[in-house]
Amino acid sequence: FGTRRALAPLDVELRRGETIALVGPNGAGKSTLISLLARALAPSAGTVDWADGIHVGWVPQLPAHYGLLTARENLELFARLEGASDARAAARELLDGFDLHGDDLAISLLGRPDALLLDEPTASLDPGQRRRLWETASALSDAGAGVLFATQQLEEAEAHAGRILALRDGEIVPAEGLFE
């Protein structure tokens, strides 16, 4: 970003059925890495490679749904964009089956992603929403999808991830003492 290097060159591998927590203080590069992996941001150098045919779902830190549409209308719109043959059925399945309310998590699950990227997903959730999010992410991982989430909450990382990657100043560092 400008003259500031947001991320050093790094390799991150997300395997099927694996859940990775990406931790680090504000400005560490977590959101930049997730945006690059989601292909919402182009790297200034290097490449982002996904295996052929991998469908990636992404929940950005800021809402990406349309506030003037209802939850069902948002899901139907994004289902059409994902190429769903029956957008209404896809929306109904997510709203009913996962007890989701048309938020970005529901949108990211359209098309049954092989990899799910979550950027600070619990930052503004109440306890019930937080529980449902982790149940959904766990079910997706159990079904074979890879899940990578960014958080500043070490307890959350330890509770929900099989592996933790720590970032500081755009580089992967040991997690011990990261927030001191």
Side-chain angles (χ1 to χ4, degrees):
F1 290 101
T3 59
R4 181 172 184 241
R5 181 180 74 174
L7 283 174
L10 54 93
D11 289 318
V12 175
E13 181 178 353
L14 177 62
R15 296 175 202 84
R16 292 189 180 276
E18 178 180 39
T19 300
I20 298 175
L22 187 59
V23 300
N26 286 335
K30 301 181 303 294
S31 293
T32 300
L33 177 56
I34 288 180
S35 295
L36 288 165
L37 293 173
R39 294 200 168 118
L41 183 64
S44 57
T47 60
V48 175
D49 294 317
W50 288 100
D52 288 340
I54 295 294
H55 176 69
V56 178
W58 173 46
V59 179
Q61 199 169 30
L62 299 174
H65 55 272
Y66 295 98
L68 297 177
L69 300 178
T70 67
R72 182 172 304 282
E73 289 168 338
N74 264 291
L75 287 171
E76 288 176 5
L77 170 65
F78 281 92
R80 284 187 202 94
L81 293 173
E82 286 285 335
S85 59
D86 187 345
R88 285 186 176 172
R92 185 173 40 256
E93 178 184 354
L94 287 170
L95 288 170
D96 297 342
F98 288 102
D99 190 29
L100 300 171
H101 303 288
D103 61 7
D104 289 338
L105 177 60
I107 292 168
S108 73
L109 295 175
L110 289 166
R112 303 194 189 282
D114 302 298
L116 181 62
L117 308 174
L118 305 166
D119 192 358
E120 301 278 352
T122 62
S124 63
L125 299 182
D126 67 40
Q129 292 170 322
R130 191 170 278 147
R131 180 184 44 77
R132 284 192 299 276
L133 175 124
W134 292 124
E135 287 171 354
T136 301
S138 179
L140 200 60
S141 178
D142 289 347
V147 177
L148 183 141
F149 67 93
T151 185
Q152 293 185 23
Q153 307 299 319
L154 290 178
E155 302 82 18
E156 193 171 69
E158 291 169 347
H160 300 289
R163 184 163 50 121
I164 297 174
L165 293 178
L167 280 179
R168 176 181 280 152
D169 298 324
E171 297 187 18
I172 294 178
V173 299
E176 296 80 31
L178 183 67
F179 292 101
E180 295 177 356

